[in-house]
Amino acid sequence: MSRRSEHGGNVYAAARSSGRCVTEWIDFSASINPLGPSPRARRAIVAALDLVSHYPDPDCVSLRRALATHYKCAPEQLLIGNGSTELIHLLPRALPIRRALIIGPAFSEYARAVSLAGGQALLVNATRDEEYRPPFDRALRILKKKNPNFDAVFLCHPNSPTGQAADVENILELAHVARRRHASVIVDETFVEYCQERSVLPHLNRMPHVLMLRSFTKFYALPALRAGCLVGGADVVRRIGHAQPPWSVNALSQAAVLASIADLRYATRSRTFMDRERPRFSRALQSFPGVTVFPSDANFLLLELPERYSAAHVTRALWRHGMLIRDCSHIDGLTSRMIRVAVRTKSENERLITEFRRILR
């Protein structure tokens, strides 16, 4: 029996329970680049099929070298994982982390990973009144206490599920205070390709206690291939790598990511599309009476529904019409009326707007 997924993107469960094919669903619950994978990545996957009779490169040497050039760091500063989720779960065991401060509302796997490793997590949640901007002031107050005893601080940037990015200056201040407390800072930049100027990557070499996570699932639209990376100090990255199972990243995944990061035209087209479609989609959703759409720097939008509608009700109603959205009512720090929707193609977004109009009439 499989563990029930707590995240979006489970089109297989929806297909099994509905009788619809997987391809008949429009999945707004997973925030994947609506343009699909890079054409170069598709060709690279086909070209790499002959490699399936061999074990993949356990050290991902070619990919680490390419990413080192892409990120302007050394290959020894990179660890490739089976999605960023594998790396999140390696961190508490390898560092180790017994007490973590998590700036939320946040991706549930941070707290889960710490708990499974025998540690405890404290969430400091942003509030609705703050439009869910990351609560650095409260996090800093906690860290500056005489004996906070935190081993690590987790920050999702831009945040999931709220879509909010932080100012780099605030992250640097947080890192400075955490360093004085001998705490690591893990910055998850899964969605940062949509706001590159906010990345902390250029500052990593002067912050040896900061680790940055990247995913190739979202921006590069490769969720089925599972690939992510960790960037940090070479010694720390090596220690975390020792805790990783061998052959964690398959050959097709390595080939697809290599091709994706080299396709600069695809990256530009993806950002241009999102910069145009996200505000258009947001304005359309905001036009419904009682609906609040919160600011987002990512490829998804957090919504609060009108008072008489629950997230569960709207999720079920859309499900009946072949659309999956993310019910955020169970996320610590959010309300029972909150949902998250990915920004998909213009025609798919229009279909969601049409169904919203029917449900909220």
Side-chain angles (χ1 to χ4, degrees), residues 289-324:
V291 171
T292 300
V293 182
F294 294 93
S296 175
D297 296 290
N299 59 334
F300 57 83
L301 299 167
L302 180 70
L303 282 68
E304 187 172 52
L305 298 165
E307 289 188 5
R308 63 186 182 280
Y309 295 95
S310 69
H313 167 76
V314 172
T315 301
R316 284 193 302 269
L318 289 169
W319 186 92
R320 288 194 289 270
H321 289 269
M323 297 181 188
L324 296 177

Side-chain angles (χ1 to χ4, degrees), residues 8 56 66 69 88 103-105 110 120 134 147 152 169 185 195-196 200 233 253 278 283 291 302 336 348 357:
T69 301
I88 289 168
I103 298 177
Y110 308 145
Q120 295 180 318
N147 292 305
E169 293 76 15
V185 177
C195 53
Q196 296 179 98
V200 299
S253 179
R278 182 179 54 215
R283 286 192 299 269
V291 171
L302 180 70
S336 62
E348 289 171 328
R357 187 173 294 113

